[in-house]
Structure formats: C-alpha cells, structure tokens
Amino acid sequence: MSSTGTVVLATVMTGLVTAAAVGPVLRALPEPAGVTYKISYRSLLSPGFVVLCGGLAAVAAAITWYRVPLAAMPLWTVLSTAGVLLAVIDARTTWLPLRLTQIAWLLMILGAVAAGVLGGGWPLLVRSGVGAGVAGALYFAGWVLTRGGFGYGDVRFAPLLGAAAGADSWRLLLWALFLGTAVGGVHGLVRLARSRKGPFPYAPSMLAGAYLALAVSWLYT
C-alpha cells in the first residue's frame, strides 16, 4: 500500500498519459480487413472519449496503487493504461484491435521484467506467466465450446488480465477470472431481458472483474 501523495501523483500521471495516447493510438490503428459495418477507430476520437479513457485509467491506477504490491505495479500499470483503452474501444465498437492488443502483450512482458528488477523474483514471474496461460486457455476453451459465441479478441485480451492478477497472488487470479465471468454473465442477461441481440463487448466486463477482485481481496488484508 502506498502513501496518499504517491497515489494521487500516480493517478494523475496515469490518467494524463492515457489521455495523451488516445489520439495517436486511434489514428494509427488499422481497421479489420473486409469489415465495413463497425464503427471506425478514428471516428471515436473526441474530447469526451479522451476524457473517458483518461478518467477510467486514473480510477484504475488509484485502485491499483492502494492495493497492489510495488513489485507487481508495472504489470498492473499496463492494465490501467493499455488495458483500459482496449476495453473502452471494445465498449464502443465491439472490436478489440489486434495491433493494440499485441502492443499490450509486449508492454506486459516488459512489465514482468521490471517487476523482477523491483524484487518480485521468480515466484512473481511464474505466477504471472501461469496466470496469462490459464486465463488465455480458459477463454479459448469458452470460445471453442460456444462456437465463437464471443469474439476471439477476448481470448487475446484474457492473458493481460491473467498476467497482472497472477503477479499479485493465486487467489487474486481466481477472483479476477470468476468476477470477470460473473459481470459478463450479468451483462448478457440484462441484454436478453431487454431483447437485445447480437454481439456485445465483453472486455469491459473482464477488466471490471480484475478490479473488483482487487476490491474483494482488499477486504481480506
């Protein structure tokens, strides 16, 4: 747990950096080949979208800095920035851009290296790697069993959550996977109750599950 001053500074910086990255990222993202019916990434760029991304990143950073050990912070910082941006894009377009997901994977690997430098050691690296693998495997199995009932982008997004949650603890990893699935299930039921059909963004539920898991684990510390 960090001091209030550190939390405030980290929160503000995370929000500002994420907001500043929104424009360049959206302009650089290629549209999926052969897809013409989705909202284009560039069309998302507006002051409101920038503020939303920056604000959510700041909130995510605040939760993280109050709960996550310093050694695991680099991985959770990736989730609070690139992860948040991916989830918000998904919420608006129902698509998770592959290139940004791949960049997030790379940043997560660099985060794991930084975690080792900060004293996380092999146990943290092992948990993070296993967490990424378990999350990816579970969502891949779900994708296969539902015959593509949700997007494959969610399968690619899952290792980011698993890596960050696993870096903290096995218990947090389990809570993150469970709560992400639970939030997504509730979202799906609400849509059914409103007779809304078609694909819906799942990454926001997955990301919310990770941060809800932090809140739940907070109660046990």
Side-chain angles (χ1 to χ4, degrees):
M1 184 175 292
S2 304
S3 66
T4 301
T6 300
V7 173
V8 171
L9 178 61
T11 295
V12 172
M13 290 301 298
T14 302
L16 290 176
V17 168
T18 304
V22 171
V25 167
L26 292 179
R27 294 188 187 97
L29 286 177
E31 297 294 335
V35 177
T36 58
Y37 55 84
K38 66 173 284 296
I39 299 173
S40 69
Y41 297 128
R42 288 195 176 197
S43 69
L44 298 177
L45 186 55
S46 68
F49 189 83
V50 171
V51 170
L52 176 63
C53 291
L56 290 176
V59 171
I63 296 171
T64 301
W65 275 92
Y66 267 120
R67 169 60 185 82
V68 175
L70 179 62
M73 279 305 306
L75 294 96
W76 279 89
T77 298
V78 175
L79 207 59
S80 299
T81 52
V84 164
L85 184 52
L86 279 164
V88 178
I89 290 174
D90 187 38
R92 293 291 302 275
T93 68
T94 71
W95 282 80
L96 283 163
L98 175 58
R99 182 169 297 178
L100 182 55
T101 303
Q102 292 170 332
I103 291 172
W105 289 345
L106 176 60
L107 292 175
M108 195 63 79
I109 292 172
L110 295 176
V113 173
V117 173
L118 290 173
W122 285 108
L124 182 148
L125 295 179
V126 169
R127 289 196 310 272
S128 180
V130 172
V134 167
L138 286 175
Y139 275 89
F140 178 75
W143 180 78
V144 171
L145 292 173
T146 61
R147 299 180 180 181
F150 54 88
Y152 197 77
D154 300 321
V155 179
R156 294 190 289 254
F157 186 68
L160 299 173
L161 304 172
D168 182 279
S169 66
W170 297 119
R171 181 170 65 185
L172 187 66
L173 173 63
L174 294 174
W175 272 114
L177 293 173
F178 170 74
L179 290 174
T181 302
V183 173
V186 170
H187 185 189
L189 290 174
V190 170
R191 286 178 58 86
L192 285 175
R194 294 180 176 179
S195 299
R196 298 180 63 181
K197 300 180 179 180
F200 67 92
Y202 202 78
S205 299
M206 298 165 68
L207 187 67
Y211 285 96
L212 284 173
L214 283 180
V216 169
S217 65
W218 205 345
L219 300 176
Y220 292 94
T221 58

